[in-house]
Amino acid sequence: MAGQLLQAIATDLNLKQYQNETATEFSSRVLYSAMSCWIKTTCLDNSISGEIGVSRRHILSRCTPVLSEFLKRMPKCVSWFEPDGTDEQPVSIIRSRLLRSGDIVNVGFNTNIALADENCEELIPGVIWKRGALLQKGCTYSGISTLEYNEKVATASAPAPNFPVGEWLDTYIKEAWWENSECAYEGFEFFNPQKKAKNNHSCWQLIPTAAVDDIMLMRRQIYNNQYEYVLYRCEEKKIHRIDSFLQKQGLHRKLMITLRYKAGNAIPGKASIFSDHVHLQLWVHLPMRETASLESYAWPFNNILDCLEWTMPLQLWTYIAPQLSKLGLNVTEENYG
């Protein structure tokens, strides 16, 4: 019975099991997209007061029991939606991602949530994102998004960046607010962009490092597991503090990736290309903009909170790959198709 239910849902979402994909992986992927559709549908419920949209609590109360019922029938998917170490509810996670993607929007002084007005955006030739769409003939779900593929349009290989990687940093340095400082190093850690490591965590050390283009990235702990990030211009002895808003956007992550690229030590990634999908493996967390793209159009692999491994349709890799390349990652492709 559970298998028939899953297949019916997959048919509605136009999803098929991928090459080398286990039944549990496929089930989790289908339920993840199904819940995004259900959340968008719930946003159309009429509220008692007549206000536009519905409350966040209404979405939780309507959608959580639906997911719970699915998981009772498919218990192997429970650990995917409820990974150890988090109390965050799966419906809240998907709802936040839909808000970031623009499929649903804040209304009523940001107290309610409504389905976005339906409109189309061409991501790449042959791939159209239908914002605010639920289930439509000829469309398929990819992650939390509704896409339409034009099979007559050939999907080209991912283009190379059209401007040098890291050019944004030169502009940022020129426009940033710098203040004089002798830069007392006490309490700071220093980012070593030349450290041969797949991740960025291992690149932090307690002694100053060689500067890249006269720039050094430093941090110091201000709260439990929270840091203040600072750029230091070594010759001029000036510092620039990364404000909290830019840190929430992941600027510190973008700085680490770019500095390593400029030091000739680009961070690796791996894309396994199959005949019907791409499996992406990363070893660093990305800035918010690039993370939002993956959250919108790809499926987390190991669990709902996985930010380092993603599964996506073959067509979407042509859209995602240039973003990673432009960021400064060195993603190698291995073809299994």
Side-chain angles (χ1 to χ4, degrees):
M1 182 64 72
Q4 294 177 348
L5 174 63
L6 183 77
Q7 192 55 53
I9 297 171
T11 300
D12 286 341
L13 301 174
N14 198 15
L15 296 177
K16 297 179 181 179
Q17 190 167 352
Y18 284 146
Q19 176 187 350
N20 294 347
E21 185 176 40
T22 68
T24 301
E25 290 167 354
F26 177 58
S27 300
S28 299
R29 189 163 60 88
V30 170
L31 291 184
Y32 180 74
S33 293
M35 289 313 302
S36 71
C37 181
W38 194 262
I39 291 172
K40 288 189 285 185
T41 303
T42 303
C43 290
L44 297 174
D45 290 351
N46 292 323
S47 62
I48 297 176
S49 62
E51 293 180 359
I52 299 174
V54 297
S55 68
R56 287 164 169 76
R57 180 176 294 180
H58 177 80
I59 292 174
L60 275 177
S61 63
R62 288 272 281 133
C63 297
T64 299
V66 174
L67 178 59
S68 297
E69 187 61 34
F70 282 146
L71 294 180
K72 286 179 184 177
R73 297 168 182 257
M74 305 170 197
K76 291 184 178 180
C77 296
V78 171
S79 61
W80 195 94
F81 282 92
E82 300 174 0
D84 294 337
T86 181
D87 295 326
E88 194 170 1
Q89 298 186 55
V91 171
S92 295
I93 295 170
I94 300 173
R95 183 190 63 200
S96 296
R97 292 174 180 175
L98 286 167
L99 280 168
R100 283 194 288 271
S101 75
D103 251 322
I104 59 177
V105 294
N106 288 309
V107 292
F109 301 102
N110 292 338
T111 56
N112 281 5
I113 296 175
L115 186 66
D117 293 335
E118 188 173 331
N119 61 86
C120 299
E121 178 182 334
E122 187 177 65
L123 301 180
I124 53 175
V127 179
I128 297 172
W129 171 40
K130 294 201 167 186
R131 182 188 288 109
L134 301 175
L135 295 171
Q136 291 189 351
K137 185 178 180 180
C139 291
T140 181
Y141 263 75
S142 184
I144 61 174
S145 301
T146 308
L147 302 182
E148 182 179 51
Y149 298 134
N150 183 350
E151 300 297 343
K152 295 181 180 179
V153 179
T155 303
S157 299
N162 56 10
F163 63 89
V165 174
E167 190 175 82
W168 73 271
L169 180 57
D170 301 329
T171 302
Y172 183 86
I173 290 171
K174 291 178 182 177
E175 297 178 352
W177 174 263
W178 296 88
E179 56 184 289
N180 294 323
S181 174
E182 292 300 321
C183 192
Y185 289 150
E186 185 177 352
F188 278 100
E189 292 179 88
F190 305 87
F191 184 74
N192 183 357
Q194 297 178 341
K195 180 72 175 292
K196 298 295 182 182
K198 284 186 175 181
N199 61 56
N200 283 330
H201 175 74
S202 301
C203 295
W204 288 99
Q205 58 189 49
L206 297 177
I207 57 176
T209 66
V212 175
D213 294 343
D214 194 43
I215 293 294
M216 191 160 55
L217 178 63
M218 310 184 300
R219 73 178 184 183
R220 61 182 171 185
Q221 192 167 357
I222 51 177
Y223 302 114
N224 187 30
N225 294 326
Q226 294 188 19
Y227 293 90
E228 174 192 31
Y229 290 86
V230 174
L231 287 176
Y232 182 60
R233 300 185 77 161
C234 301
E235 290 187 7
E236 298 183 24
K237 294 185 177 180
K238 291 184 176 181
I239 64 171
H240 167 69
R241 304 180 192 278
I242 309 300
D243 66 51
S244 57
F245 173 77
L246 290 178
Q247 188 173 331
K248 288 180 181 178
Q249 298 302 307
L251 178 61
H252 59 301
R253 295 172 179 171
K254 192 172 183 179
L255 285 167
M256 288 185 275
I257 294 170
T258 303
L259 287 173
R260 288 188 60 172
Y261 178 88
K262 282 178 167 284
N265 184 33
I267 299 170
K270 178 184 176 183
S272 300
I273 315 293
F274 296 90
S275 62
D276 52 4
H277 74 287
V278 175
H279 180 79
L280 174 65
Q281 290 177 276
L282 302 172
W283 284 273
V284 295
H285 291 275
L286 304 181
M288 179 59 72
R289 182 176 180 179
E290 290 75 15
T291 298
S293 284
L294 289 168
E295 287 178 348
S296 296
Y297 308 115
W299 290 274
F301 184 68
N302 292 297
N303 59 65
I304 194 171
L305 292 176
D306 190 357
C307 296
L308 300 180
E309 289 194 50
W310 301 86
T311 300
M312 69 195 76
L314 199 59
Q315 298 93 327
L316 256 295
W317 178 238
T318 308
Y319 174 72
I320 296 295
Q323 298 181 34
L324 304 181
S325 180
K326 181 178 176 181
L327 192 59
L329 296 178
N330 180 26
V331 180
T332 58
E333 296 184 357
E334 294 188 7
N335 204 314
Y336 297 89

